[in-house]
Amino acid sequence: MAFNAYFLARADVLVYFSIFIALFIYWINGIKKSTAKMPPGPMPLPFIGNLNLVDLNKPYESLMQLSEKYGEIFTLHFGPQKKVILAGYKTIKEALVTRADDFGERAIAPIFEIFSNGLGITFSNGETWKSMRRFTVSTLRDFGMGKKSVEARIQDELMPLIESFKSQNGKPFNTHMLINSAVSNVICSIIFGKRFDYDDPTFQKLISLLDESVKLVGTPKVMLYNYYPFLGSLLGLHKKVQQIIQDLRNFISQCSMNRRLDLDANDVTGYIDAYLLKQEQESSKAETYFNEKNLHTCVRDVFSAGTETTAATLHWGILLMMKYPEIQKRVQDEIKTHIKPGQLPTVEDRKNMPYTDAVIHEIQRFGNIAPLNLSHSTPTDVYFRGYLIPKGTEVIPFLTSVLYDKTQWKTPYDFDPNNFLDENGKFVRNDAFMPFSVGKRACAGQSLAKMELFLFFTGLLQAFTFCPPPGVSREDLNLKPGIGFLLIPTPFMTCAKPNY
C-alpha cells in the first residue's frame, strides 16, 4: 500500500510539473504580446480624457510641449478616443517609410466622413484608395504635372496675377483672394480644362467655400464634434460643414454633367474628362470604383489640395519678406543675376538660384502649414518601439515635431534660410523637410506644388518689393497663424511696390 501511495504521489507531482512546464512554454511564446503595452501618456480624466492639457485653438503647441515630456511616441485621450502621437524625424520616418504598411491606412474622423464617406483619395482606404490614387497620379502626369506643359500653365497664370497686383498702385491691399485665385486656376485648368476670371462670382464663391471649410474643420467646436459625435450632432456643430460640402458637390456635379455632354475621346481637356472616359471603359465590369460619387469626391480632393496649401505658403512668403527685408533683397539680387528683365522665371532657373530655393524651403518649414498632418491608423495590431498599437488606433504623425526638430535643424524656431545652405552658400537638402508628409500617403501633387511655389514666388519678387503699410513697422507684423486645420497667416495688408 505504501509503495502504491508513493508512486501515486510521484505521478501527481509529474502531472503538476508537466502542467507548469506547458504553462511556462505558453507564457514564453506569448511574452511579447502579453508584456507589450500602449505607449505612455498622461493619466486621462473621466469623460474629457486629456483635453485639459490640449489648447484646441493651437493643438500643435500643446503636442510639442507634451512630446518634450513623454518622448517620441505617446498616447493621448481626446475625450473618449485614444490616439497615439508620433513625434520627431526619426520616429515618423520609421513609421511612414520603413514600416509604411503598418501605418498605411487613413483614420477617419466623423467630420471627414462627412467630406468623403470613404470615397475619393484623401480619406479612403483599401482598393478604393489604391484605384483612385493610381488614376489621379497617372492623370495629373498626363496633364503635365512636373513637366514643361504645366510650367507654361503656371507662367500664364503668373502674368494676370502680376497685373492684378500692379492695379493696386502700391497702396495697401490684402493678397488673399488674388493669390488663392491664381493658384486655384492652375489646378482648375487641369481639372476642368479651363481657368476662371478672378472676378467671376461663381469662382469667387468656390474659393470662399474652400477657405471656410479649411477654417471650420480646425475650430474647437468641430474638433469636439469629432471627439463626441453624439454631442456634436445634438448641438449641430457640423451642419455648416455639411452645407459647404453640399455646395461644392453641386458645383462639381454641374461641371461633370456639362463635360459629359461635350465628351470627346479625341479631345480630353482635363481630369473630369479623363475620369468620365475611364468610367465608360469600366461600365461593363461587374465591380468598378469609377462611379459618380467617387468622381465628385476625387475632384474635390484634388481641387482643395491643389489650392489651399500652396496659396497659404505664398501668403507666408509675402508676410515673411515684409518681416525680413534683407532676405527679400538677397532673393531679388539673385533674381536679377540669373533672370533677364522682362523674362518670366522658369523651373530651370532654380538650379542656379540656391538662395531663393533655400528661402522657399524655409518658408514651407517655418510656415508649418499642416501641423498635425492627416491622421493614419493601424490596419492590424502593430508592435512599434516596444509598444503595442492595437488595430484601428488613430495615429498622428506630428509634422510640427519634424519641421522644428532640434536634432535636425540649425535654428528650428527662427526663420533662417541657412537651414538649407552650406558654408559655401550651396543648397542642401534635408530629409527632415516633410511639409508634404512622406510614405504612401504623401501628397500626390507635391511636384506641382513645388513648381508653383518657385514660379509664383520668384515671379512676384522679380516684379515687386513687398512692404508693410504706412505706419506699420516690420516689428508690428504678426507671425502667429489664424485658427484652422491649416496654419494660414492672420489677415494682413501689404504694399506691392513695382521694381521697374
Side-chain angles (χ1 to χ4, degrees), residues 88-100:
Y89 161 67
K90 291 181 180 178
T91 305
I92 290 176
K93 183 181 179 182
E94 181 182 350
L96 301 190
V97 179
T98 307
R99 301 187 55 181

Side-chain angles (χ1 to χ4, degrees), residues 19-35:
I19 293 172
F20 171 79
I21 291 296
L23 289 173
F24 180 75
I25 293 171
Y26 177 80
W27 177 76
I28 287 294
N29 288 335
I31 191 169
K32 182 179 179 181
K33 186 170 184 178
S34 63
T35 59

Side-chain angles (χ1 to χ4, degrees), residues 142-393:
D142 289 344
F143 283 100
M145 185 175 72
K147 301 176 184 176
K148 277 282 185 182
S149 55
V150 156
E151 179 182 63
R153 291 176 194 251
I154 301 167
Q155 290 171 327
D156 287 345
E157 198 57 47
L158 175 59
M159 290 186 286
L161 180 62
I162 288 173
E163 290 304 313
S164 296
F165 276 35
K166 278 184 182 177
S167 71
Q168 308 299 321
N169 297 315
K171 296 178 181 179
F173 71 106
N174 188 322
T175 63
H176 186 86
M177 187 57 79
L178 289 175
I179 285 180
N180 281 46
S181 298
V183 172
S184 185
N185 257 336
V186 174
I187 201 67
C188 282
S189 70
I190 294 172
I191 295 174
F192 307 117
K194 67 173 186 176
R195 70 178 296 277
F196 295 86
D197 291 333
Y198 292 169
D199 57 0
D200 183 315
T202 301
F203 186 47
Q204 287 187 333
K205 181 182 179 183
L206 200 59
I207 298 296
S208 297
L209 287 172
L210 280 182
D211 273 355
E212 196 170 0
S213 65
V214 168
K215 290 173 185 174
L216 276 174
V217 168
T219 57
K221 67 178 184 179
V222 172
M223 284 192 276
L224 288 174
Y225 168 72
N226 284 334
Y227 309 147
Y228 307 97
F230 67 94
L231 182 61
S233 297
L234 288 174
L235 299 176
L237 301 180
H238 61 305
K239 287 186 177 179
K240 183 63 176 175
V241 175
Q242 282 182 317
Q243 185 58 55
I244 290 172
I245 296 304
Q246 187 58 51
D247 289 344
L248 287 170
R249 186 178 292 125
N250 291 342
F251 174 82
I252 295 166
S253 178
Q254 186 62 52
C255 287
S256 63
M257 282 194 294
N258 293 340
R259 292 309 309 158
R260 196 183 294 277
L261 292 173
D262 299 326
L263 191 60
D264 181 353
N266 297 314
D267 184 25
V268 179
T269 61
Y271 180 93
I272 290 179
D273 283 8
Y275 188 103
L276 293 174
L277 286 172
K278 183 72 171 178
Q279 195 176 27
E280 284 187 1
Q281 293 168 9
E282 299 229 338
S283 60
S284 60
K285 290 187 177 181
E287 184 178 4
T288 178
Y289 297 96
F290 290 87
N291 52 53
E292 285 299 306
K293 289 183 178 179
N294 247 332
L295 169 61
H296 299 160
T297 309
C298 283
V299 169
R300 193 174 67 243
D301 286 347
V302 173
F303 183 61
S304 178
T307 299
E308 291 295 323
T309 53
T310 302
T313 305
L314 290 170
H315 294 310
W316 277 115
I318 290 175
L319 179 59
L320 287 163
M321 293 305 95
M322 290 195 294
K323 186 80 170 178
Y324 301 101
E326 68 282 2
I327 294 177
Q328 180 173 204
K329 176 72 164 54
R330 282 193 63 180
V331 171
Q332 290 170 329
D333 288 344
E334 192 173 62
I335 290 171
K336 290 176 186 175
T337 301
H338 295 286
I339 303 176
K340 293 178 181 179
Q343 288 188 349
L344 291 174
T346 67
V347 173
E348 192 68 18
D349 293 322
R350 178 165 48 192
K351 65 182 181 183
N352 299 317
M353 300 172 64
Y355 189 76
T356 302
D357 203 8
V359 168
I360 293 170
H361 278 72
E362 182 65 358
I363 291 167
Q364 290 181 271
R365 187 199 69 81
F366 183 83
N368 185 30
I369 303 297
L372 302 184
N373 205 337
L374 288 170
S375 292
H376 290 232
S377 73
T378 47
T380 60
D381 287 356
V382 171
Y383 292 94
F384 185 71
R385 296 199 168 188
Y387 298 109
L388 168 65
I389 305 177
K391 177 181 178 180
T393 300

Side-chain angles (χ1 to χ4, degrees), residues 27-54:
W27 177 76
I28 287 294
N29 288 335
I31 191 169
K32 182 179 179 181
K33 186 170 184 178
S34 63
T35 59
K37 57 183 180 180
M38 288 279 289
M43 179 69 70
L45 298 174
F47 189 67
I48 68 169
N50 301 126
L51 288 179
N52 59 309
L53 303 177
V54 180

Side-chain angles (χ1 to χ4, degrees), residues 39-44 50 53 62-76 85 87 387:
M43 179 69 70
N50 301 126
L53 303 177
S62 302
L63 294 191
M64 282 297 282
Q65 293 168 3
L66 289 166
S67 68
E68 292 289 334
K69 181 175 182 180
Y70 293 100
E72 296 178 334
I73 174 170
F74 58 99
T75 302
L76 271 186
I85 316 298
Y387 298 109

